[in-house]
């Protein structure tokens, strides 16, 4: 590793997938009857937040890897089982597309979803930061519903 | 930059400080009378969450830079003005201590706060992820109080 490398692309992906496992556990413990409806302060229900994460991660990696412009779509799957299935599908697809991004491209500037311009690393960071942001909101929803969220520090 | 470098240490710090500016704006718009008391689902008030962020960022960078073991302390400042002053102080201190961490040390494994072991990069990522997590919760508190949070994407 170079002396200027904070971490490698593989380490970043592994870190992200660890955080995605936490998000998956939030979906798992979320009561099905509240997944598409429960809100605090008029915010989107957790299914919509999870759908946004799905609409960003793989489409982003795919665009970066292949240059294909994918539309941002975030329609929430109808049931918890379908959402979890989509999540698992995305986990595998993220690994596949991310692996196609050459390591030397992380500093390259790219425009995604037809409008967001930044370096490849900053695009992936946006996806990760945004997932943390919305998962944290899911924790509040769970607490408001009287449910213990999964531990944030457990990434296994 | 090496072909294996996702980003440089300076870029990571700059990214973090951008996110910290968002957190600062959450503190700024948070109503003083609710800062230490308002809760959803029995969770800690936002002053306590912000105090936790303060208890992690600089003490973490300081320990990594100098090896000094600092105790994890997160007593919230009594007023919003004091919290903002502490935040700004921490912004400058984070720059100072972070700059003392040699770039080649980001892959080194280190134990912080006497108990958390991981690479230097993963320690900084924990602090950033945790801040995103709790700031996101602050957004829910603000919405529940009928207040528009600052835009998440604006890091200036």
């Amino acid at each position: 590793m170079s002396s200027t490398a904070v971490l490698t692309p593989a380490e970043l992906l592994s870190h992200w997938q660890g955080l995605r496992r936490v998000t998956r556990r939030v979906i798992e413990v979320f009561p099905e009857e509240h997944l598409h409806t429960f809100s605090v302060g008029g915010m989107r229900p957790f299914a919509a937040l999870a759908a946004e994460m799905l609409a960003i991660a793989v489409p982003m990696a795919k665009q970066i890897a292949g240059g294909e412009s994918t539309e941002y779509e975030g329609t929430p799957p109808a049931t918890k089982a379908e959402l979890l299935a989509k999540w698992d599908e995305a986990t595998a697809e993220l690994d596949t597309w991310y692996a196609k991004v050459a390591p030397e491209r992380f500093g390259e500037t790219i425009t995604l979803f037809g409008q967001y311009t930044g370096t490849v690393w900053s695009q992936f960071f946006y996806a990760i930061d945004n997932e943390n942001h919305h998962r944290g909101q899911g924790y509040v929803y769970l607490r408001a519903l009287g449910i213990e969220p999964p531990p944030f520090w457990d990434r296994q």
Side-chain angles (χ1 to χ4, degrees), chain A:
Chain A
M1 199 189 297
S2 149
S3 68
T4 58
V6 169
L7 78 174
T8 64
E11 286 169 327
L12 181 62
L13 176 63
S14 165
H15 182 74
W16 190 1
Q17 293 285 28
L19 288 163
R20 291 184 75 260
R21 283 190 284 275
V22 183
T23 309
R24 193 188 192 285
R25 283 196 279 271
V26 171
I27 301 169
E28 272 185 311
V29 299
F30 217 99
E32 177 111 42
E33 69 270 30
H34 294 301
L35 192 58
H36 291 79
T37 50
F38 185 78
S39 165
V40 175
M43 293 178 70
R44 286 173 289 169
F46 194 67
L49 302 180
E52 179 183 297
M53 297 169 195
L54 287 172
I56 294 175
V58 173
M60 170 180 283
K62 198 172 171 183
Q63 282 171 82
I64 295 172
E68 189 194 330
S69 182
T70 311
E71 208 155 319
Y72 181 105
E73 261 185 61
T75 313
T79 65
K80 194 205 281 203
E82 280 175 56
L83 179 55
L84 287 170
K86 283 274 182 200
W87 197 264
D88 294 338
E89 205 181 295
T91 300
E93 287 181 4
L94 182 57
D95 280 345
T96 301
W97 288 105
Y98 189 100
K100 294 185 200 292
V101 180
E104 61 271 19
R105 291 192 52 223
F106 277 73
E108 184 186 307
T109 296
I110 188 168
T111 297
L112 299 186
F113 302 101
Q115 57 179 315
Y116 306 110
T117 301
T119 57
V120 165
W121 72 258
S122 75
Q123 304 277 6
F124 284 130
F125 272 53
Y126 190 87
I128 295 168
D129 292 334
N130 188 63
E131 180 171 338
N132 285 324
H133 174 72
H134 287 315
R135 186 196 323 100
Q137 297 173 341
Y139 274 55
V140 184
Y141 293 5
L142 285 175
R143 288 285 184 197
L145 289 165
I147 292 158
E148 173 97 9
F152 177 65
W153 46 263
D154 182 6
R155 311 293 167 79
Q156 297 308 305

